[in-house]
Amino acid sequence: MCGSKKIECKDNRKWECPDCNFDLYCNVATAVGVIIKDKYNNVLFEVRGKEPRKGYYAVPGGFVDFDECAEDAAIRECKEEIGVDIKSVEFFCTYPNTYVYKNIEYKTCDVFFTTELPKEFETIDDFIKTLKPQESEVQGFASFKVETMEDIEKIPLAFESAKKIFEKFIKK
């Protein structure tokens, strides 16, 4: 606030100015992900179209906007990234994540939800044929069976948090 050059970083999450006592916190960001599966345990994945982890797989999702609840963010991200109006989502679990973007490490709390495959589709593969990828975010779509740890290990997932939630997913 005072323009001092003596800013000090404390505990990798707070900057302090010894001259004017101003504190600036770097808090955890909130991100959402949506698991859409069919009755055969095939799950919808996006191929990430941008860094970080471009070309790797993730479920539809993104960061929660200011003044937005996580459920609304999950529904909005599905509309933006896959072109589908999801009517509702159900909370599944949360997991911490590290999101490295342009050499800066951001800590996130990833909130995962599930939603039903629209009734007019039998399989995720049928559903994929109708999806419209957000050009700036998504290169394409894929489905993977998620029933065992071996299934999870075969998927080149973009983020560690997704691996952890799918470990919980197969246990339920």
Side-chain angles (χ1 to χ4, degrees), residues 79-90:
K79 177 66 174 168
E80 291 174 2
E81 292 189 350
I82 68 176
V84 174
D85 285 314
I86 299 296
K87 301 300 177 211
S88 66
V89 292
E90 184 175 316

Side-chain angles (χ1 to χ4, degrees), residues 49-69:
K50 69 177 203 174
E51 296 297 343
R53 312 285 288 161
K54 181 178 181 179
Y56 286 80
Y57 293 93
V59 295
F63 286 98
V64 177
D65 287 342
F66 296 128
D67 300 320
E68 182 178 49
C69 69

Side-chain angles (χ1 to χ4, degrees), residues 30-36 44 46 58-64 70-71 73-75 77-78 81 89-95 109-115 159 161-162 165-166:
T30 305
V32 295
V34 181
I35 301 167
I36 305 171
L44 172 68
E46 302 174 344
V59 295
F63 286 98
V64 177
E71 293 86 350
I75 291 168
E77 287 288 348
C78 283
E81 292 189 350
V89 292
E90 184 175 316
F91 173 78
F92 180 65
C93 70
T94 65
Y95 206 84
C109 178
D110 294 352
V111 182
F112 290 92
F113 296 93
T114 59
T115 192
F159 303 109
S161 60
I165 66 101
F166 279 114

Side-chain angles (χ1 to χ4, degrees), residues 52 60 110 117 150 155 166:
D110 294 352
L117 179 67
E150 291 79 26
I155 305 168
F166 279 114

